[in-house]
Amino acid sequence: MTVLIRLQGAVKRYEAAGPPALDGVDLTVAAGEAMAVMGPSGSGKSTLLNLVAGLDRPSAGRGEVAGTDLGQLSESALARFRRSQIGIVFQFFHLLDELTARENVAVPAQLLGVPRRAALSRADELLESLGLLAKADAYPARLSGGERQRVALARALVNRPPLLLADEPTGAVDARAGAQVADLLRDLNRGGQTILLVTHDPALARRCATRVVELRDGRLASAKAPDRTTATPGHTTAAPEVPA
């Protein structure tokens, strides 16, 4: 088993006198897993994701991704590491309004040094696989919430990262679009993509996770396989194969 994420005694404090947002978490995620992190608001879910992404540094303990201790990297080295090793999908998309869908997807590749023409070609490849090539020249304001989230997913995948992080990826879209995003994540994982997903939605965890962990008050409370026997019915669209 290849371990892609390893947290050892991870602690994160934002205030020296306050309780830790994350309190001594030990967690491993194997390559090829799709793990959902669940828990109530304020339980530490987003903090855990931010530590794995290198957006926050642990106050104590350590966090490794792909064998690299993120705490030992400078800020510039962390930024380079994220561009090549980690794709991130946010709840509210964070697309650049002044760029087209194609240009938004291509940005991380260009930041990694990929020539513009090759980056745009890779963007078109991903947009086509996600059923959005017809919207490649559209600006985010002209896209639906579900379309913007798929553009954000394509952007996260453009550099072929071994790890995909998703922070409440269906929280800002309607139920139908959320089901489509969930199916895309499930199919990506079936194709070998490692996913760490933060969600408050049990239906999303059931649909696309292979393992679920629960955080409470900054600590791991439980870990289990998702219960698929109570999956809620809904619209499901088979996701196209996303090119690696």
Side-chain angles (χ1 to χ4, degrees):
M1 178 185 74
T2 301
V3 174
L4 193 60
I5 300 171
R6 188 188 304 276
L7 297 181
Q8 295 177 304
V11 176
K12 180 60 182 180
R13 293 182 180 274
Y14 293 104
E15 298 179 8
L22 213 62
D23 190 7
V25 169
D26 294 313
L27 180 69
T28 59
V29 180
E33 271 198 280
M35 176 180 285
V37 180
M38 303 191 67
S41 296
S43 61
K45 302 188 301 296
S46 292
T47 298
L48 186 150
L49 198 78
N50 287 341
L51 289 185
V52 173
L55 297 171
D56 277 340
R57 294 180 183 269
S59 305
R62 59 187 285 150
E64 294 181 2
V65 174
T68 297
D69 184 348
L70 302 186
Q72 299 301 310
L73 299 180
S74 66
E75 290 300 321
S76 59
L78 263 176
R80 289 193 298 271
F81 183 84
R82 274 194 299 271
R83 289 171 195 156
S84 63
Q85 300 295 314
I86 302 173
I88 308 176
V89 181
F90 299 98
Q91 178 176 356
F92 295 108
F93 323 129
H94 295 319
L95 300 178
L96 299 173
D97 291 337
E98 67 276 15
L99 299 183
T100 66
R102 174 188 291 115
E103 291 166 338
N104 265 283
V105 174
V107 164
Q110 292 180 268
L111 290 174
L112 201 61
V114 176
R116 176 176 170 81
R117 180 176 294 182
L120 292 174
S121 176
R122 169 65 175 161
D124 281 348
E125 179 185 15
L126 285 165
L127 290 172
E128 182 175 20
S129 71
L130 297 176
L132 284 176
L133 189 57
K135 300 292 183 75
D137 293 319
Y139 290 89
R142 307 290 300 205
L143 301 174
S144 70
E147 289 169 340
R148 279 178 280 171
Q149 191 58 294
R150 280 185 283 160
V151 171
L153 180 57
R155 180 184 58 188
L157 296 170
V158 70
N159 287 330
R160 299 176 174 86
L163 175 61
L164 178 65
L165 304 180
D167 188 3
E168 300 284 6
T170 61
V173 299
D174 61 29
R176 183 177 185 276
Q180 291 175 333
V181 171
D183 286 345
L184 286 168
L185 292 174
R186 180 197 61 199
D187 284 9
L188 282 167
N189 176 247
R190 287 176 176 174
Q193 178 71 57
T194 307
I195 298 172
L196 180 63
L197 163 73
V198 162
T199 183
H200 68 280
D201 183 358
L204 177 62
R206 285 193 298 267
R207 192 181 291 250
C208 63
T210 57
R211 183 159 58 115
V212 178
V213 299
E214 184 179 7
L215 278 175
R216 289 191 178 274
D217 298 323
R219 298 182 178 181
L220 284 180
S222 63
K224 60 184 179 180
D227 178 7
R228 304 189 190 280
T229 62
T230 58
T232 55
H235 179 87
T236 302
T237 300
E241 182 179 354
V242 177

